[in-house]
């Protein structure tokens, strides 16, 4: 089968003919129709993080398609079912986190397109218990970005604890951030967005952000404080240390700063201000299967729609280059 493969960190992906996966009894084989390109895939192929992926790697954790083979132990899915294979490829199902509905914290999890082969391929094997069905009325291309960008931002907004009518700041209006703006608006939150350039400004405001500030030209922290009095929650999807600090600085007393983006850097925090202001700083990693079902439902009801440019698997190196430059509007989804 055809797949995009990373053989060494930092070099271009090669389109290769590789062995089609065989499945185990608890698995299914999915013929991938579409796969979104997440900035995490770029981090993976660069080996950016302390825990490295297994090479050679087939990236991709927004792969959606139809089931073409069922393992002998799989009883709750059917051939032809439309499913997506998220970052949380599998978890153990019996540790304290899995039992508590925090399966994305499971220490024994596998991750699609990182520890196991992902969706940048014609076929992908998946754990039957961890794929989620694409709701009726949502096509493959529209569904793909929700399997990571959608669920991650939907969950992060829940983690922010911001209530309807309150302010959230969304840092980074990229693949994740443009969905964060939409989920926030759908949840009744008021949104201020931060990124750079006219394209991101138009995107954020057209999606319902009441304010947009440009991190290259505006005094982001002062401007957000003046506009909102300090936000109740912030969600930082920016791949930038400076953006993380600003997302902390704009939170009002008692508010929450939710860290989502994953630049490979540290974030120094002022102890005095954090204590006196009672500010929470919390990480949020993807979402559970339940979060994913809920986030897909928003899209199936027309409340959220990813802004998508369709490309082909063969375009992956150009897509990565544009992503590095911050030149993508919304999400790129590759047809496979
Ligand atoms: P993306 O490249 O589509 O978007 C990033 C955006 O951040 C771009 O629009 C860029 O212009 C903007 N940006 C850069 N510097 C900024 C700054 N200082 N202030 C505000 N905006 C700034 O990337 P993406 O696919 O949305 O992913 C974003 C990050 O989130 C990546 O690091 C990715 O690995 C991470 N991620 C985390 C999770 C999770 O579960 N926590 C899930 C998916 C992705
Ligand atoms: Zn992702
Ligand atoms: Zn577990």
């Amino acid at each position: 089968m055809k797949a995009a493969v990373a053989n060494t960190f930092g070099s271009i992906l090669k389109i290769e003919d590789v062995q089609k996966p065989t499945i185990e009894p608890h698995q299914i084989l999915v013929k991938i129709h579409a796969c979104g390109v997440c900035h995490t895939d770029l981090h993976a192929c660069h080996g950016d993080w302390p825990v490295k992926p297994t090479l050679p790697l087939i990236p991709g954790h927004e792969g959606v398609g139809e089931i073409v083979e069922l393992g002998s132990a799989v009883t709750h899915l059917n051939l032809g079912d439309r499913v997506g294979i998220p970052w949380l490829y599998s978890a153990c199902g019996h540790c304290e986190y899995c039992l508590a509905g925090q399966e994305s914290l499971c220490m024994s999890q596998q991750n699609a397109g990182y520890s196991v082969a992902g969706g940048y391929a014609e076929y992908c094997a998946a754990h039957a218990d961890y794929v989620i069905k694409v709701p009726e009325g949502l096509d493959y291309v529209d569904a793909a970005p929700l399997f990571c960008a959608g669920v991650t931002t939907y969950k992060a907004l829940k983690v922010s604890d911001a209530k309807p009518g309150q302010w959230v700041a969304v840092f980074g209006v990229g693949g994740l951030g443009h969905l964060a703006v939409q989920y926030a608006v759908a949840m009744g939150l008021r949104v201020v967005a931060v990124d750079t350039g006219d394209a991101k400004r138009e995107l954020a405001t057209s999606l319902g952000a009441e304010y947009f500030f440009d991190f290259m030209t505006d005094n982001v922290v002062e401007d957000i404080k003046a506009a909102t009095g300090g936000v109740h929650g912030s969600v930082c999807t920016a791949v930038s240390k400076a953006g993380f600090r600003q997302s902390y600085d704009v939170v009002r007393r008692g508010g929450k700063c939710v860290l989502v983006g994953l630049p490979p850097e540290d974030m120094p925090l002022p102890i005095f201000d954090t204590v006196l202001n009672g500010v929470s700083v919390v990480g949020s990693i993807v979402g559970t299967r339940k979060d994913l079902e809920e986030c897909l439902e928003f899209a199936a009801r027309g409340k959220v729609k990813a802004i998508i440019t369709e490309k082909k698997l063969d375009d992956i190196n150009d897509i990565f280059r544009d992503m590095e430059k911050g030149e993508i509007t919304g999400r790129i989804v590759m047809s496979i």
Side-chain angles (χ1 to χ4, degrees), residues 91-95 98 106-107:
C92 79
H94 47 74
C95 70
C98 285
C106 176
M107 293 290 288

Side-chain angles (χ1 to χ4, degrees), residues 7-289:
N7 292 299
T8 52
F9 293 127
S11 54
I12 61 166
L13 298 196
K14 294 240 166 65
I15 304 297
E16 294 179 9
D17 188 22
V18 303
Q19 188 104 37
K20 187 172 159 185
T22 52
I23 56 168
E24 294 175 23
H26 64 279
Q27 288 187 314
I28 57 173
L29 188 68
V30 179
K31 175 161 183 17
I32 301 292
H33 285 261
C35 188
V37 179
C38 181
H39 207 115
T40 291
D41 303 334
L42 191 55
H43 292 304
C45 294
H46 285 176
D48 276 346
W49 297 334
V51 180
K52 312 276 178 216
T54 323
L55 294 179
L57 173 72
I58 299 175
H61 53 274
E62 290 185 350
V64 291
E66 67 185 296
I67 301 181
V68 292
E69 224 180 295
L70 291 169
S72 56
V74 179
T75 54
H76 70 293
L77 295 169
N78 294 303
L79 290 176
D81 281 354
R82 301 181 330 129
V83 297
I85 307 168
W87 174 256
L88 188 68
Y89 181 89
S90 66
C92 79
H94 47 74
C95 70
E96 65 173 290
Y97 304 109
C98 285
L99 292 179
Q102 293 180 302
E103 60 202 19
S104 54
L105 303 183
C106 176
M107 293 290 288
S108 307
Q109 68 186 275
Q110 298 288 346
N111 299 119
Y114 207 84
S115 62
V116 294
Y120 287 15
E122 281 179 286
Y123 294 91
C124 187
H127 192 307
D129 291 341
Y130 288 84
V131 293
I132 297 293
K133 283 193 194 173
V134 176
E136 297 247 333
L138 203 56
D139 66 33
Y140 285 127
V141 170
D142 282 336
L146 305 176
F147 276 83
C148 176
V151 68
T152 299
T153 50
Y154 172 65
K155 176 71 165 197
L157 287 160
K158 282 189 179 180
V159 169
S160 82
D161 277 337
K163 303 287 183 295
Q166 295 186 335
W167 283 104
V168 288
V170 174
F171 281 76
V173 187
L176 265 63
H178 91 288
L179 283 164
V181 172
Q182 296 186 55
Y183 278 106
V185 170
M187 290 167 164
L189 305 170
R190 304 184 68 183
V191 180
V192 46
V194 181
D195 206 306
T196 190
D198 288 341
K200 304 281 168 75
R201 178 186 295 276
E202 273 155 38
L203 178 64
T205 49
S206 71
L207 297 173
E210 291 176 52
Y211 296 97
F212 176 91
F213 296 111
D214 191 316
F215 68 82
M216 296 292 280
T217 54
D218 292 322
N219 293 319
V220 169
V221 174
E222 292 88 75
D223 291 348
I224 292 181
K225 282 189 168 163
T228 67
V231 296
H232 300 82
S234 68
V235 172
C236 188
T237 73
V239 193
S240 150
K241 182 174 175 163
F244 275 79
R245 180 53 203 245
Q246 291 176 337
S247 77
Y248 170 87
D249 286 335
V250 298
V251 172
R252 71 171 63 190
R253 290 191 153 204
K256 274 199 183 180
C257 172
V258 185
L259 314 186
V260 173
L262 285 158
E265 289 162 308
D266 289 340
M267 179 186 181
L269 286 178
I271 297 168
F272 186 83
D273 287 348
T274 307
V275 173
L276 272 279
N277 294 337
V279 167
S280 306
V281 179
V282 57
S284 185
I285 176 75
V286 293
T288 64
R289 289 167 287 181

